[in-house]
Amino acid sequence: MKFNREKEVEHLIERELKPDGITDERVLQALYRVKRERFIPQSLKDRAYGNYPLPIGENQTISQPYIVALMTQALDIKPSDKVLEIGTGSGYQAAILAELSSVVYSIERIESLSAYARTNLYSQGYNNVFLIVGDGSVGLPEYAPFDKIIVTAAAPRVPDPLFSQLKKGGKMAIPVGGRSVQDLQLIEKALNGRVYKSSLCGCRFVPLIGGEGWKD
Ligand code: SAH
């Protein structure tokens, strides 16, 4: 059967995301607009709107749409936000963020994946995403502070440098736990300096490898 994008994306939104608590219209619209089939190998195109992760090469995966939506919704992205993403991968999450914010900085440690994301993003006109190759577990001090930080690889703990690079009033979404299963946490740095942590759900991300992450 021919791939029918509209039918597939509507099914994902109506049958998977909304019933599971993704209610923010701006997030749903971003999921509707961004073409996930352009961020995965063409051989997997027919499965672009399945609610599961898919391989993107280099032993890495593009996250499950529900997790992308959940993290984006929890971060409450504003049009004026400057966002930092750790783990560019395919560039899909970066594209979702780029739809909702003013600028996205995204760090990837594997050069070939960053190049893949660059092609995926720039061919679709996402010119407000800046891609950096390096160890994102230490953040990006030269462009800090950030309104929002999203970590899309599993960390053993919240890296101190990332927490310091978060603005007061800012939010960070990060999977924290073991190498194979984690707790998806939302961390809020309140204006009065207090820190609030909540758990969004259990999850499985590929490991964050680096100075403030796991060893290779
Ligand atoms: N957000 C991506 C999925 C990311 S998968 C998407 O939408 O497709 C996690 C990515 O984090 C992998 O590509 C992995 O190489 C990268 N990664 C792991 N440790 C990292 C680190 N310390 N700095 C930057 N990227 C890292």
Side-chain angles (χ1 to χ4, degrees), residues 39 54 56-63 68 85-95 106-110 113-114 132-138 150-154 205-214:
F39 294 87
L54 288 167
I56 51 171
E58 305 284 354
N59 271 325
Q60 308 301 327
T61 53
I62 178 173
S63 306
V68 170
E85 179 189 34
I86 317 302
T88 314
S90 67
Y92 176 70
Q93 172 76 73
S106 185
I107 315 179
E108 170 58 55
R109 64 182 281 271
I110 302 176
L113 279 179
S114 186
I132 299 103
V133 176
D135 176 10
S137 73
V138 297
I150 181 168
V151 182
T152 65
F205 277 83
V206 297
L208 179 76
I209 310 282
E212 298 286 326
W214 302 92

Side-chain angles (χ1 to χ4, degrees), residues 110-141:
I110 302 176
E111 198 164 357
S112 61
L113 279 179
S114 186
Y116 176 60
R118 173 165 281 116
T119 307
N120 296 341
L121 287 161
Y122 297 169
S123 65
Q124 293 175 82
Y126 289 106
N127 297 325
N128 58 338
V129 181
F130 294 93
L131 299 176
I132 299 103
V133 176
D135 176 10
S137 73
V138 297
L140 199 59

